[in-house]
Amino acid sequence: MKLTRRAFTMVLGAASLVSAGRAFAEHDDLAVSVTNHSEPEVCAEKGNVQIDFISTDVRRMRVRAVHPAYIGAVGVDRAEPDWTSCDMSGDASFPTPEREARLWSSPDFWLVGWTYPSFWREQDVPVRIGERVERGFHLVQLWMNYGGQPAEVLVFYPRDGYWRARPLPFGNLRWTAYGSSFLIGPVEIQERPLVAFKEVMFDPKTLSFDLAFTRGGSARIAFAAIDQSEIKLDVTYSAAMPEKRAFASLRSMYASERVADVARVAWRAPGASAWDEAPVMSFSGAPAVTELWAGRRAQSRHNLSAPDMIFSHFASAASSRPT
């Protein structure tokens, strides 16, 4: 089932979706450099997988979260944290009063903000919804009304720039797990990889997010499609990233083949008739990639139903905001 015709027509507009998809298809010929900074880790709750995408020419890309190939065989899943072999005593932690608030709602979608008892980064980032400005949140969720039931489809962390996406629940599953995260914007290291936002703006009319970066420039993340197979997000950049700084990054975890959110990587080089593939921990990167998949072939004990991630449609066309 696709995102409801009513919701797409009312919130995004069918015509704009068709034209946006066509525009991406016409310009998805750019190859980008991919580097792998993943490191071994035994703790299942540490993001030790880091795959960076680098290009000074990129202005557009597409990010897809796709149910894994084995999703039809998932009967019981668990998404509780696994703190086995984990030592977080050295991590930064800034205490804050807990808070939950609904930031915006319509009959089909709504935004919810959360402030946790503590967070690893103190920097506050304003979240703007129309004329309303909210501050202090660690996490913002986008929910969708799907068949009369709430479905959480996208989350972001304003303070460090992390995003997670997942398709609508597959088949008769009531929910599926989040897994890998991704970063959009100039990626930097401050104890860990992050993107520093000056402000995040949500447009209820288009269900899109405008990101103003502390390092300059901006980007827009807009929905292209969502159904029980995948979620497609189109990213448009206002300007080039600084040289040698990633414009996007995949962040995930791998402890072993059976305890992983990402275990393997596959990629296509320009003009290649086949994909190359490697275990994520031995992937040496690639100088020119037009599409990259990161996921699992074998079922994991950790977030079994979490989606695979695909990065593609890299384009150097001058930025034009989707309507």
Side-chain angles (χ1 to χ4, degrees):
M1 176 180 177
K2 294 288 184 182
L3 182 60
T4 65
R5 181 184 299 274
R6 173 174 174 265
F8 251 178
T9 302
M10 181 178 67
V11 181
L12 297 175
S16 64
L17 279 175
V18 172
S19 61
R22 187 177 297 128
F24 271 78
E26 288 172 354
H27 299 286
D28 60 348
D29 56 356
L30 179 67
V32 303
S33 173
V34 176
T35 58
N36 186 11
H37 303 282
S38 304
E39 299 178 342
E41 178 59 64
V42 295
C43 172
E45 299 305 322
K46 285 191 176 181
N48 62 309
V49 172
Q50 180 186 346
I51 297 175
D52 289 347
F53 299 83
I54 301 171
S55 171
T56 57
D57 297 320
V58 76
R59 294 296 186 278
R60 299 184 183 187
M61 68 176 297
R62 174 167 286 171
V63 180
R64 298 164 59 199
V66 182
H67 284 310
Y70 56 74
I71 188 66
V74 175
V76 178
D77 194 8
R78 67 181 184 91
E80 293 78 12
D82 178 3
W83 301 107
T84 306
S85 303
C86 295
D87 180 8
M88 305 296 194
S89 59
D91 291 2
S93 179
F94 298 93
T96 49
E98 292 185 73
R99 181 187 174 201
E100 175 191 358
R102 181 169 292 213
L103 308 180
W104 165 83
S105 61
S106 74
D108 297 290
F109 301 93
W110 56 98
L111 281 180
V112 178
W114 290 84
T115 301
Y116 297 136
S118 65
F119 198 72
W120 79 273
R121 193 163 188 256
E122 191 174 22
Q123 181 67 40
D124 185 23
V125 174
V127 177
R128 182 183 299 274
I129 306 100
E131 298 299 318
R132 179 178 180 179
V133 178
E134 292 282 355
R135 306 190 69 102
F137 289 112
H138 297 144
L139 171 71
V140 177
Q141 306 163 310
L142 177 65
W143 291 81
M144 174 184 166
N145 181 2
Y146 174 64
Q149 298 295 323
E152 184 187 5
V153 295
L154 185 71
V155 300
F156 70 94
Y157 297 78
R159 298 195 182 200
D160 57 13
Y162 280 65
W163 298 78
R164 285 179 170 176
R166 61 183 177 188
L168 295 172
F170 181 84
N172 294 323
L173 295 175
R174 295 186 60 186
W175 61 274
T176 55
Y178 281 115
S180 302
S181 302
F182 57 94
L183 295 164
I184 298 295
V187 179
E188 57 185 291
I189 305 296
Q190 294 186 21
E191 297 183 44
R192 65 185 74 173
L194 61 83
V195 171
F197 293 148
K198 182 164 56 178
E199 185 179 56
V200 177
M201 294 154 281
F202 175 71
D203 184 354
K205 294 181 180 178
T206 59
L207 274 190
S208 60
F209 296 86
D210 287 296
L211 318 177
F213 304 127
T214 301
R215 305 301 176 193
S218 62
R220 170 171 285 195
I221 300 177
F223 280 83
I226 178 170
D227 58 26
Q228 287 182 288
S229 297
E230 65 177 8
I231 179 172
K232 296 179 182 178
L233 300 170
D234 285 341
V235 180
T236 307
Y237 297 88
S238 67
M241 293 296 108
E243 188 175 1
K244 296 184 179 180
R245 179 161 288 182
F247 63 85
S249 182
L250 170 73
R251 292 280 288 159
S252 193
M253 61 74 55
Y254 176 94
S256 69
E257 189 78 13
R258 293 290 183 178
V259 183
D261 288 346
V262 163
R264 301 191 66 83
V265 177
W267 65 97
R268 287 197 304 124
S273 58
W275 291 67
D276 292 304
E277 185 170 340
V280 66
M281 299 308 293
S282 61
F283 173 51
S284 58
V289 169
T290 58
E291 188 170 4
L292 181 137
W293 166 88
R296 299 169 292 192
R297 302 294 189 194
Q299 296 188 18
S300 169
R301 297 195 306 272
H302 191 267
N303 296 334
L304 174 61
S305 61
D308 300 343
M309 300 300 300
I310 300 173
F311 299 80
S312 64
H313 292 67
F314 305 111
S316 57
S319 174
S320 61
R321 298 290 191 184
T323 58

